[in-house]
Amino acid sequence: MAAKAKRTGNSLSRRLRFPAEEKRLPWLPLLLDGYAVIDTGIDVAMRREEKQRGSTIACRQGCDVCCRQKDIPVYPHELVGIYWYASEQLGSGIREVVKQQLAGRQLGSPCPFLVDHACAIHPLRPASCRQFNVFTTPCAEGEDPYYSRRQDVLEPLEDYLDRAFAGVLTFYGVKDKADQARAVRTIRRQMLNLQSYDWSKLLAVMERPAAEHSVT
Ligand code: SF4
Ligand code: SF4
């Protein structure tokens, strides 16, 4: 994915912080905690796999073939984060580019958040973008290695994703932790496709005056 996160010795220390916004938006700390768990899971899987293969991941900053694929999974609670970040956190220049890309979307367009080979919503990019990593060689133009060379695609550790999802159950109105596993399966069934999602509502939010952008 464009602008992969850098790896660190302790991935949870990489958990992003937006102190004022996290106080205002009760769902935001849950989402950021979940992404830190997912990033940790990716680090663990990657280190394990690199050791076994004796080679490092092929993904590099600026590599963006995967951001132009037609299937990019995204979950409803992640859309809330994307709406917030795109409407409230983007600087004016990049914001205008994203708006133009949202407005001009056509079948086969790249992800609307891909700007100059980088992810405009990188801190809030979906789990699927974080988890998609490839060994051996970078993706060729138009290639989806999930189909062309599945053996090179990093297998994410599902328990980390489940843990991250368990932390956001309140998004889905699930309060009873006793039935967490079933609730996580329910979330997984709500997967959407970022590429075919109707982004017109986000565009409408971004076109409102700044004081009215607030995502609650
Ligand atoms: S190698 Fe493929 S999966 Fe990795 S960043 Fe490049 S395009 Fe994306
Ligand atoms: S959100 Fe879009 S631009 Fe960002 S990493 Fe995912 S596919 Fe790429």
Side-chain angles (χ1 to χ4, degrees):
M1 287 286 155
K4 295 272 189 196
K6 280 189 192 147
R7 279 183 283 168
T8 60
N10 175 0
S11 302
L12 279 180
S13 66
R14 196 170 67 193
R15 193 262 197 206
L16 290 175
R17 307 215 171 263
F18 296 87
E21 298 299 296
E22 288 182 53
K23 273 190 197 149
R24 181 171 70 85
L25 305 167
W27 51 266
L28 185 54
L30 306 179
L31 190 58
L32 295 173
D33 286 349
Y35 282 145
V37 171
I38 288 168
D39 289 345
T40 302
I42 296 162
D43 268 7
V44 172
M46 213 181 269
R47 282 171 206 278
R48 208 177 274 176
E49 194 68 27
E50 285 180 344
K51 204 169 166 191
Q52 270 178 11
R53 291 173 183 252
S55 64
T56 54
I57 208 83
C59 300
R60 294 288 174 263
Q61 198 148 358
C63 198
D64 63 6
V65 172
C66 50
C67 304
R68 288 181 269 127
Q69 286 165 1
K70 63 179 176 19
D71 296 319
I72 302 175
V74 64
Y75 291 91
H77 65 276
E78 296 185 305
L79 290 174
V80 179
I82 292 174
Y83 267 61
W84 166 71
Y85 195 83
S87 60
E88 298 190 30
Q89 298 293 309
L90 293 184
S92 56
I94 202 161
R95 178 189 175 80
E96 286 311 308
V97 177
V98 168
K99 278 167 61 181
Q100 282 167 18
Q101 294 184 167
L102 291 171
R105 274 187 77 64
Q106 291 175 346
L107 196 65
S109 291
C111 169
F113 305 107
L114 182 65
V115 178
D116 290 338
H117 308 285
C119 178
I121 56 162
H122 193 257
L124 272 290
R125 70 199 185 287
S128 63
C129 303
R130 295 164 192 265
Q131 290 188 312
F132 199 69
N133 292 278
V134 172
F135 281 93
T136 314
T137 54
C139 303
E141 195 59 44
E143 182 192 15
D144 184 345
Y146 189 82
Y147 299 104
S148 60
R149 47 186 170 109
R150 183 77 180 272
Q151 73 282 3
D152 281 352
V153 177
L154 180 74
E155 193 74 47
L157 301 174
E158 292 299 316
D159 49 328
Y160 283 85
L161 192 62
D162 286 349
R163 269 171 53 201
F165 281 2
V168 297
L169 289 178
T170 49
F171 269 87
Y172 298 89
V174 178
K175 295 203 174 97
D176 184 1
K177 295 223 165 177
D179 205 9
Q180 205 162 281
R182 191 158 64 102
V184 168
R185 285 198 298 279
T186 305
I187 297 175
R188 282 177 175 274
R189 283 200 293 273
Q190 296 185 37
M191 188 175 82
L192 302 162
N193 184 352
L194 186 150
Q195 290 289 50
S196 54
Y197 178 78
D198 177 6
W199 289 105
S200 58
K201 276 191 218 147
L202 172 59
L203 180 60
V205 172
M206 292 178 78
E207 281 178 336
R208 287 184 208 149
E212 296 173 28
H213 284 157
S214 185
V215 175
T216 53

